[in-house]
Amino acid sequence: MSDNILAILPELWMAAGQTFVMLAIGLTAAIVLGGPLGVLLFLLGPGQSLDNKPAFLVLNWIVNVVRSFPFIILLVALVPFTRTIAGTSIGPLAAAVPLSFAAIPYFARLVDQCLREVPRGVIEAAHAMGATELQIVWRVLLVEARSGLVLALTVLAVSFLSYSAVAGVVGGGGIGDLAIRYGYYRFQTDVMVLTVALLVVLVQILQVTGNTLARRLDKR
């Protein structure tokens, strides 16, 4: 192990912790806000129980617009909002604000797509038995789509792990910040290779965990 890597090991552990904090906050926001938003988007869609074309078009447009922003631009554009919410524009908590902002519509779209895979007959049968919309959402839609939803959350986690690394470019902390400060500015190639390898390992862990859980939940 090189002297450069030995020297930055304490910072590496701290950077990994910061990355997990950013990822945890972003995924929590996605589940808590993006999940219900995706369900609402599905229910308002054409042919669904709450079919409302104007509301669907507006909500669909908002989701598409936010998702179309490159993350680095969104990160910079939200600096005033981030400073208001987090009290600062640098650090992992500050980076978690634009991460959350981007994760919500991203996951909402994934949830909408997963729910569209639920057989129409299952939903109609639930309606015929007198189930309320809330019961259909909790006991039919989310249950039938649970495997797909886990895979969708896995895709989100993997994508936003790379987004958290991008946040390091503007002082967001985490593994990306470490790679920029040591691997790029100080030309320590071994540190850069280490951070890339660590990100690859984390991605593999997330993907394998998500695939395993989704396979166990798939009752088809």
Side-chain angles (χ1 to χ4, degrees), residues 69-76 95 98-99 102 160 163-164 166-167:
F69 272 82
F71 180 68
I72 188 66
I73 295 176
L74 186 66
L75 192 68
V76 175
L99 272 173
F160 277 75
Y163 280 19
S164 70
V166 173

Side-chain angles (χ1 to χ4, degrees), residues 25-116:
I25 294 174
L27 292 181
T28 300
I31 294 171
V32 173
L33 299 176
L37 181 62
V39 172
L40 181 60
L41 192 62
F42 170 76
L43 294 176
L44 292 174
Q48 303 304 329
S49 54
L50 300 181
D51 188 341
N52 187 316
K53 188 174 182 179
F56 173 77
L57 290 176
V58 171
L59 194 58
N60 191 58
W61 179 81
I62 293 174
V63 168
N64 287 337
V65 167
V66 177
R67 288 178 62 239
S68 67
F69 272 82
F71 180 68
I72 188 66
I73 295 176
L74 186 66
L75 192 68
V76 175
L78 288 177
V79 165
F81 179 73
T82 298
R83 191 177 291 113
T84 300
I85 297 296
T88 179
S89 59
I90 59 173
L93 292 180
V97 175
L99 272 173
S100 301
F101 198 85
I104 292 169
Y106 193 116
F107 190 57
R109 178 60 68 197
L110 293 176
V111 169
D112 176 43
Q113 292 174 350
C114 288
L115 297 184
R116 293 182 187 277

Side-chain angles (χ1 to χ4, degrees), residues 135-195:
Q135 288 174 329
I136 290 174
V137 169
W138 279 107
R139 299 181 182 179
V140 178
L141 290 174
L142 296 183
V143 171
E144 290 291 325
R146 58 189 175 183
S147 178
L149 290 173
V150 169
L151 289 176
L153 187 60
T154 302
V155 170
L156 180 71
V158 170
S159 297
F160 277 75
L161 181 61
S162 64
Y163 280 19
S164 70
V166 173
V169 175
V170 292
I175 297 173
D177 178 54
L178 195 70
I180 291 296
R181 285 191 292 114
Y182 288 93
Y184 182 72
Y185 290 135
R186 301 187 186 183
F187 302 103
Q188 296 179 2
T189 307
D190 49 353
V191 174
M192 180 69 78
V193 170
L194 176 63
T195 55

Side-chain angles (χ1 to χ4, degrees), residues 2-19:
S2 71
D3 292 338
N4 289 335
I5 293 178
L6 288 173
I8 61 109
L9 279 180
E11 284 193 66
L12 180 63
W13 290 114
M14 183 181 297
Q18 292 173 338
T19 295

